[in-house]
Amino acid sequence: QEEGEAALTEAELEQRVQIFLSETDTLWMLHLPPALVSTEAEEAPRVLERNKIYAEICEAKIGSEYFEEKMVQTISGASKTKEVQCETITMAEKGMMVTAWDLDTSLAASGTDPAETEEPKTPAGESSKSPTAEEHDQAVAVPPATASSIPIAESAAPARSHEEQECHAGAILTSAKLQQDLVVMERILMENIFQPKLAVYRQIPVLIEPVVTSDTEVEEDEEDESEEDEEKQEKAPEPDESPAEGAGPRLEQLWSYRCDLTRGHSVSSMAWNKVNPDLLAVGYREFVSQDQKKGLACCWSLKNPMWPERIFRCEHGVTAVDFSLASPNLLAVGLANGRVAIYDVRSRQDAALLDSSASLNKHKGPVWQLRWVEQDRGAPAGDKGERLMCISGDGRMTQWFIQQRLDCSDVMTIKRTESVKKKVPGERERKSEGPISQQAAGMCFDFHPEDTDVFLAGTEEGHIYCCSCSGKEQILGTYRGHKGPVYKVAWNPSSTDMFLSCSADWSILLWHRDSHTPLLTFTSVTAFVHDIKWAPKSALIFAAVNEKRVEIWDLSVSIFQPVFSYAASPEGKLSSLLFARNAECLLLGDSCGQVGVWQLHSLAVPSTDQV
């Protein structure tokens, strides 16, 4: 409503108004007059007269010297309106490749003298600045006119200094696109190199391409193969022990996880990712003449057995690693100085996501083992999830909480036990010397496969404690049988009342939960037994590694000697072992920094009735 006008009254609003709709005049946006006229039209006589005059003029010009008869194409007028468009746009792709040699040639063609300090003059409209790193990266996309002018001295860019050339080359090598392309090329090469070995690991047929050769070459190849077979038979090492010729399990090495970074370090622990069975975490540490080297935590993948996917460098040796199940991207790492760190394997950064350095309850001894443990199903709703458990050389078993920072609480403290000696008649009573520390160093632990509230803890004294995380009595039982530090304990996954333990006293003991004395003792060589693992598909088969060799024991065959033993690491000493989750393979880590992947052949799996 415009200003000054009065509003309509109610009577005017109620008044009936008549509205008439009529057709407006036609608006012509485009009018093309036709080239043809009807003979009945008014202008038809005039048009016929003009056409007659035009024909007479054309006939009169035939005899003229300025007349030349040619074939021409006249444009006839459109008889009706039609769509019109422009001519088809022609497109052409042009390009060229510019390499480092072309750039050097262009710089040399410019003929600049190092003594000249003045900037060269450039034509109007061109910039006298030297190309930046971004222009250098986009040299491949230079238009043809500009690219073709590179070798010309007059239009060449000013010569760069040697430092600038190195910076530009470094920018190309560190670009994200180049890194991605190199990863793809690396994957293709690894697949071609390790395809037969990976097929054996996956338990799928190995495809062998036929080789076409002539008759003479076939005869020569057969002679060479026969000679090589004879040499291999002479040099082939025989296993240390085997139950019978042609029978029993055997090992075949597929490949080894190793690189220049891991050389000189000892494999301390290994752990599979809970979601991705092809991702392996390995911890490395080394002690030389009481000087501790820096440690490594590497994540290896089957896609590249020659270089780790992630490398986390630590200030101290890595003693334990384990992946989380609730968050498979989290890797917990225990160090020799008592520090606990959590890394995110999705990130390429070397820094830890969480660290226990700022914790007031941090360990004061090496973290010998850590593990993510699922909470009990009967726990309250707020307590469900995972908990990170650690055992350390300071005699503490701790549970770590992941919040804004990493902090822990003690689950139990391992106390030293006094050894009771028999008194010899006539011998004087000696004063008991007090121990330096009242706490015994913890070496290993393992939670019960069914009841996550019960766990075993092995100590440096040689004792094994059966403990509970809740309740008034933490220690449910004590098992005394080893004379040296207990390196590993392992519950049987099928027969959950049985467990194994290995020690520095050269022995492996089989225990029952209700008996405080060992049921069986396994000893084959005089060497420290560093690690033991039950076979995932059998309750009667387990593997063990000592400093000299790997042993496979089958309790259904013999309890006196292993069914197979082999020196898998002639160069170093074996330190750890791990069964593959999705393959019939065994992983062996040694003191040289390599993790060998070995295929298990002819490993008998007992029936469930024998358990």
Side-chain angles (χ1 to χ4, degrees), residues 343-488:
Y343 293 88
D344 187 358
V345 298
R346 295 178 302 184
S347 174
R348 294 185 177 272
Q349 297 180 359
D350 199 6
L353 188 64
L354 293 172
D355 195 345
S356 65
S357 300
S359 176
L360 300 177
N361 298 327
K362 61 183 178 181
H363 289 290
K364 299 177 178 59
V367 179
W368 292 117
Q369 188 176 356
L370 54 79
R371 183 179 171 187
W372 297 88
V373 181
E374 291 183 301
Q375 292 281 10
D376 192 4
R377 296 180 180 178
D383 296 338
K384 288 185 178 180
E386 271 186 325
R387 48 183 176 172
L388 180 61
M389 309 297 295
C390 298
I391 194 168
S392 172
D394 57 4
R396 296 163 56 205
M397 182 86 174
T398 56
Q399 176 179 352
W400 292 83
F401 305 98
I402 300 177
Q403 298 172 352
Q404 294 182 353
R405 66 173 187 175
L406 202 60
D407 204 353
C408 69
S409 64
D410 291 349
V411 176
M412 67 168 295
T413 303
I414 305 173
K415 301 291 184 180
R416 290 186 178 273
T417 57
E418 297 180 359
S419 57
V420 180
K421 294 184 179 180
K422 294 182 180 180
K423 186 177 179 181
V424 180
E427 184 182 4
R428 294 182 181 180
E429 267 189 40
R430 295 183 180 180
K431 294 182 180 180
S432 60
E433 298 179 356
I436 299 176
S437 174
Q438 296 296 331
Q439 298 178 358
M443 300 296 295
C444 58
F445 69 90
D446 190 25
F447 275 80
H448 196 274
E450 295 179 353
D451 187 2
T452 56
D453 191 48
V454 177
F455 65 92
L456 298 171
T459 65
E460 191 179 15
E461 291 182 306
H463 304 329
I464 302 172
Y465 298 99
C466 183
C467 310
S468 175
C469 294
S470 60
K472 297 181 180 179
E473 296 182 2
Q474 287 188 339
I475 299 179
L476 305 179
T478 304
Y479 306 92
R480 297 179 174 86
H482 287 293
K483 307 300 181 183
V486 180
Y487 288 146
K488 281 290 166 38

Side-chain angles (χ1 to χ4, degrees), residues 451-581:
D451 187 2
T452 56
D453 191 48
V454 177
F455 65 92
L456 298 171
T459 65
E460 191 179 15
E461 291 182 306
H463 304 329
I464 302 172
Y465 298 99
C466 183
C467 310
S468 175
C469 294
S470 60
K472 297 181 180 179
E473 296 182 2
Q474 287 188 339
I475 299 179
L476 305 179
T478 304
Y479 306 92
R480 297 179 174 86
H482 287 293
K483 307 300 181 183
V486 180
Y487 288 146
K488 281 290 166 38
V489 289
W491 288 99
N492 192 313
S494 301
S495 181
T496 56
D497 289 335
M498 313 292 290
F499 63 92
L500 283 172
S501 63
C502 65
S503 171
D505 60 0
W506 314 338
S507 66
I508 303 171
L509 301 183
L510 178 66
W511 303 82
H512 192 278
R513 182 176 178 178
D514 298 333
S515 176
H516 295 284
T517 56
L519 302 181
L520 294 174
T521 303
F522 310 101
T523 303
S524 59
V525 293
T526 55
F528 293 169
V529 184
H530 291 288
D531 202 355
I532 50 172
K533 288 287 188 304
W534 288 100
K537 297 181 181 180
S538 174
L540 303 175
I541 299 176
F542 66 90
V545 290
N546 50 51
E547 294 181 346
K548 298 181 180 180
R549 60 190 186 182
V550 56
E551 298 177 348
I552 297 178
W553 292 77
D554 189 350
L555 303 184
S556 63
V557 177
S558 174
I559 61 174
F560 300 105
Q561 62 181 0
V563 295
F564 178 80
S565 60
Y566 183 68
S569 179
E571 300 176 357
K573 299 178 181 179
L574 296 175
S575 57
S576 59
L577 68 88
L578 186 66
F579 280 96
R581 296 180 57 191

Side-chain angles (χ1 to χ4, degrees), residues 67-196:
F67 178 76
E68 183 180 355
E69 187 177 358
K70 288 184 179 179
M71 295 292 295
V72 295
Q73 181 180 3
T74 59
I75 300 177
S76 60
S79 59
K80 61 179 180 179
T81 307
K82 63 179 181 179
E83 295 182 355
V84 179
Q85 69 178 27
C86 63
E87 296 181 357
T88 305
I89 301 175
T90 58
M91 302 178 64
E93 295 184 0
K94 295 182 180 180
M96 66 176 298
M97 180 177 292
V98 180
T99 62
W101 292 274
D102 296 331
L103 298 176
D104 293 339
T105 304
S106 65
L107 295 176
S110 62
T112 55
D113 190 4
E116 296 177 2
T117 59
E118 296 181 1
E119 295 182 0
K121 297 181 180 179
T122 56
E126 294 183 3
S127 176
S128 62
K129 297 181 180 179
S130 60
T132 59
E134 295 179 358
E135 294 172 350
H136 183 74
D137 293 341
Q138 299 173 358
V140 181
V142 174
T146 307
S148 61
S149 63
I150 287 177
I152 300 175
E154 296 179 358
S155 60
R160 301 190 184 96
S161 63
H162 181 67
E163 295 180 356
E164 290 179 351
Q165 293 181 12
E166 291 183 352
C167 293
H168 296 156
I172 294 176
L173 294 177
T174 56
S175 62
K177 184 65 169 63
L178 180 61
Q179 297 291 336
Q180 182 180 0
D181 295 342
L182 289 177
V183 169
V184 175
M185 293 177 61
E186 188 180 46
R187 291 284 191 266
I188 297 173
L189 289 175
M190 293 300 105
E191 181 68 22
N192 292 338
I193 295 172
F194 293 96
Q195 193 277 332

Side-chain angles (χ1 to χ4, degrees), residues 83-349:
E83 295 182 355
V84 179
Q85 69 178 27
C86 63
E87 296 181 357
T88 305
I89 301 175
T90 58
M91 302 178 64
E93 295 184 0
K94 295 182 180 180
M96 66 176 298
M97 180 177 292
V98 180
T99 62
W101 292 274
D102 296 331
L103 298 176
D104 293 339
T105 304
S106 65
L107 295 176
S110 62
T112 55
D113 190 4
E116 296 177 2
T117 59
E118 296 181 1
E119 295 182 0
K121 297 181 180 179
T122 56
E126 294 183 3
S127 176
S128 62
K129 297 181 180 179
S130 60
T132 59
E134 295 179 358
E135 294 172 350
H136 183 74
D137 293 341
Q138 299 173 358
V140 181
V142 174
T146 307
S148 61
S149 63
I150 287 177
I152 300 175
E154 296 179 358
S155 60
R160 301 190 184 96
S161 63
H162 181 67
E163 295 180 356
E164 290 179 351
Q165 293 181 12
E166 291 183 352
C167 293
H168 296 156
I172 294 176
L173 294 177
T174 56
S175 62
K177 184 65 169 63
L178 180 61
Q179 297 291 336
Q180 182 180 0
D181 295 342
L182 289 177
V183 169
V184 175
M185 293 177 61
E186 188 180 46
R187 291 284 191 266
I188 297 173
L189 289 175
M190 293 300 105
E191 181 68 22
N192 292 338
I193 295 172
F194 293 96
Q195 193 277 332
K197 301 295 184 181
L198 292 173
V200 175
Y201 184 89
R202 300 290 191 189
Q203 300 179 6
I204 59 178
V206 180
L207 300 179
I208 301 175
E209 296 182 0
V211 180
V212 180
T213 56
S214 60
D215 297 339
T216 56
E217 293 179 353
V218 171
E219 294 177 359
E220 293 177 358
D221 293 341
E222 290 178 355
E223 293 177 359
D224 295 341
E225 289 178 0
S226 61
E227 293 177 359
E228 292 177 358
D229 293 340
E230 292 177 359
E231 293 178 358
K232 288 181 180 179
Q233 291 177 1
E234 294 176 359
K235 297 181 180 180
E238 296 182 357
D240 297 337
E241 296 180 7
S242 57
E245 296 183 359
R250 59 185 179 87
L251 290 177
E252 177 190 357
Q253 187 173 11
L254 300 181
W255 68 83
S256 295
Y257 291 114
R258 59 180 177 181
C259 62
D260 294 338
L261 291 176
T262 62
R263 188 175 301 166
H265 293 76
S266 176
V267 178
S268 59
S269 60
M270 298 181 291
W272 289 109
N273 189 280
K274 305 299 192 301
V275 175
N276 184 3
D278 297 340
L279 187 61
L280 175 70
V282 183
Y284 301 90
R285 67 185 178 95
E286 184 63 31
F287 297 95
V288 178
S289 65
Q290 297 182 357
D291 293 333
Q292 184 177 350
K293 287 186 177 181
K294 294 183 178 181
L296 292 172
C298 299
C299 295
W300 295 88
S301 174
L302 287 181
K303 298 178 181 179
N304 187 2
M306 299 182 67
W307 192 260
E309 298 293 322
R310 296 288 185 272
I311 301 173
F312 304 107
R313 294 173 174 84
C314 305
E315 292 295 330
H316 297 80
V318 176
T319 53
V321 292
D322 193 27
F323 275 107
S324 170
L325 178 60
S327 301
N329 59 301
L330 297 183
L331 175 65
V333 176
L335 304 181
N337 64 337
R339 174 170 161 253
V340 177
I342 296 179
Y343 293 88
D344 187 358
V345 298
R346 295 178 302 184
S347 174
R348 294 185 177 272
Q349 297 180 359

